[in-house]
Amino acid sequence: MTPVARIIREEILLGGPISVERYMALCLNHYYASRDPLGMAGDFITAPEISQMFGELIGLWMAECWHLLGAPSKGHWVELGPGRGTLTSDAFRAARLVPAFREALDIHLVETSPALRLRQKETLAPAEKTLTWHEAIAGLPEEGPLFVVANEFFDALPVQQFTSRDGEWRQRCVGLDDNDGLSFGLFPSTGLNLELPPCEGKTIERPVAATVLMAELAQRIARQGGIMLAIDYGYAAPAYGDSLQALRNHAYAPVLEAPGEADLTTHVCFQHLADAAQAQGLAVHGLATQRQFLDLLGIGIRAATLIKACPAEADSIEAAKLRLTEGGIEGMGELFKVMALSSPNLVSLPGLLACETGRLHSS
Ligand code: SAH
């Protein structure tokens, strides 16, 4: 039995079944606090770990947004859930091309995992910038515009799940079966209305933690100015579907099999995040697919430049570009979506269409 399985079992024996959201929170806290989950030796790989081009293009995109915001002389680069710190490191190396932007920003990392904070410190040493870590949004500086990036961050936050039974939505929970193993069940109905009507057997997800965090951040951006870029495996509008999955050693595993030892993720419903931001008056841009966004930012040209500088690496640079931009289930180009939220005066951003109706383009 894993250490988290023991805690979960005790909690269920004391108070009865726990929500899927609580199960995810207990598992994810332990999982991220106790390891570096990224890379070939870990459980999964992310876009910045596939190629330096990803972080470089995002760094230059942010520099362009900084210009559009009037090139403020002081502001803050913020990364939510920075993993190994690779994206920010690549972004700041590329930003040497725009020295005034690089000079204007210090670096803030919102990261709960002590293991990953150490890793980020190592990766970011060559950036020669002041680094400050925060447990949560509340700790971020209260003055100066925020330039925020979140790649595969929202998919790592717990969600509530509801399944439709006999015409009602009932929250999904985790309890103990007859053999003392963990199993899924449903709490009694509370007559809750959700974004979609009940449809027998279907599940719907509510990203409460992500929405609360987004609302807090949007409030800051509305007050201090700035922009946020969110990239994640996800979809535009609320839809039926159970997207909760566990990943271990780069393969899918049963969600209840090894609590706290596998990565748990869900697909992100971007409209929930957009609604939280719009409620604070921010402008919404997107969605674009990762492929559309990286193509418009010039990933083709960047790859060609890298290949020219290092012809021996041509095959791996080309393969990384394809992995980031290709469709289908192998590539990240169509499954991953890009959305930006900005101060309301920024009506047009590079690489993304403004979303004037408030309903995200599904691209
Ligand atoms: N953005 C990185 C890593 C994604 S993995 C990349 O693209 O490579 C998710 C990251 O979010 C990890 O760094 C994890 O420790 C962090 N994280 C998970 N839950 C968090 C929370 N509630 N608050 C802050 N960071 C969190």
Side-chain angles (χ1 to χ4, degrees), residues 216-361:
E216 200 181 346
L217 185 60
Q219 207 169 28
R220 291 297 207 90
I221 294 177
R223 200 172 69 223
Q224 297 172 224
I227 185 146
M228 156 156 180
L229 183 72
I231 305 175
D232 239 305
Y233 191 157
Y235 51 100
Y240 298 115
D242 165 13
S243 74
L244 176 58
Q245 56 194 22
L247 263 178
R248 214 174 171 193
N249 300 323
H250 300 266
Y252 293 113
V255 169
L256 301 179
E257 187 179 76
E261 302 303 320
D263 179 38
L264 294 181
T265 63
T266 55
H267 302 170
V268 172
C269 176
F270 281 93
Q271 189 66 53
H272 280 103
L273 303 179
D275 288 346
Q278 285 178 102
Q280 302 298 330
L282 298 194
V284 177
H285 312 261
L287 296 178
T289 63
Q290 180 165 300
R291 181 224 305 262
Q292 290 166 335
F293 186 68
L294 294 179
D295 277 349
L296 283 167
L297 264 50
I299 193 169
I301 297 169
R302 183 65 189 129
T305 311
L306 281 175
I307 289 171
K308 211 164 161 194
C310 198
E313 298 289 324
D315 286 352
S316 65
I317 295 167
E318 200 53 46
K321 189 191 90 180
L322 274 181
R323 178 115 187 249
L324 293 178
T325 55
E326 232 177 5
I329 50 165
E330 289 298 311
M332 302 174 84
E334 282 171 4
L335 297 174
F336 280 73
K337 309 289 193 298
V338 183
M339 178 179 76
L341 307 164
S342 71
S343 298
N345 56 329
L346 276 191
V347 284
S348 167
L349 297 179
L352 292 167
L353 286 175
C355 168
E356 281 134 11
T357 60
R359 308 315 297 168
L360 290 165
H361 312 285

Side-chain angles (χ1 to χ4, degrees), residues 32 38 46 48 79 81-83 110-113 116 151-153 157:
Y32 279 112
L38 291 146
T46 55
E79 186 172 357
V110 178
E111 175 60 72
T112 43
S113 162
L116 287 171
N151 184 63
E152 290 211 44
F153 170 70
L157 300 181

